[in-house]
Amino acid sequence: MIVFRAGRNYWRWRLFMWAATQFGVVIMIAMFAAAILKAQGKMSPLAVFLSDAAGIAALVTYLLFLLISYQLQRMNYELRWYIVTDRSIRIRSGIWSVEEITMTFANIQDLRISAGPLQGWLGLADLVVSSAG
């Protein structure tokens, strides 16, 4: 029986995908903020104050979400492990609800390996194991 965890390159890949998502969110927030700043010239002082307060609240909320989502990515990496025996493979993952998949080698009918450019550069690939049922 061999027990192992996901490699460091898997963590780097997950971190890159998380960062790319966060970059997209920052771009959308910046576009929204620019639209509000453009409209502030036509707003009353109270509306300007409220839009500034809402912007600060949104920024604080986003920073909190950024920290929480990073920790969730880290925990997803830390709580993922694999067991390979002479008869089966078992994959265990999950944070809130743990998912454990066991498949015996006798039931495996198809293996598919695919990798995108970034995965190839990191030496990673997606392995899809399927059976008849």
Side-chain angles (χ1 to χ4, degrees):
M1 177 169 65
I2 300 171
V3 178
F4 59 97
R5 296 172 46 153
R8 291 297 281 166
N9 282 345
Y10 177 74
W11 165 243
R12 290 181 183 114
W13 178 72
R14 290 209 44 118
L15 192 60
F16 176 81
M17 297 306 287
W18 172 82
T21 303
Q22 298 310 313
F23 180 72
V25 169
V26 167
I27 294 298
M28 287 191 309
I29 289 172
M31 289 173 35
F32 183 69
I36 289 177
L37 287 174
K38 185 177 178 184
Q40 278 186 347
K42 302 172 187 172
M43 295 175 148
S44 69
L46 178 62
V48 170
F49 172 76
L50 291 175
S51 68
D52 288 345
I56 291 170
L59 180 63
V60 169
T61 303
Y62 174 71
L63 292 175
L64 182 62
F65 173 76
L66 192 68
L67 177 66
I68 292 169
S69 66
Y70 174 80
Q71 290 301 324
L72 288 173
Q73 291 295 320
R74 185 70 187 176
M75 287 173 61
N76 184 295
Y77 168 72
E78 294 289 336
L79 296 175
R80 177 179 303 272
W81 50 273
Y82 311 90
I83 299 175
V84 179
T85 66
D86 58 340
R87 296 181 184 183
S88 66
I89 182 169
R90 180 178 298 160
I91 302 169
R92 183 178 175 128
S93 64
I95 298 171
W96 307 117
S97 62
V98 176
E99 180 180 8
E100 192 166 312
I101 301 168
T102 304
M103 185 173 281
T104 59
F105 293 134
N107 292 339
I108 294 176
Q109 292 193 343
D110 188 30
L111 296 174
R112 293 185 186 172
I113 298 175
S114 63
L118 180 62
Q119 287 175 311
W121 183 69
L122 290 170
L124 299 174
D126 292 327
L127 173 65
V128 178
V129 180
S130 57
S131 64

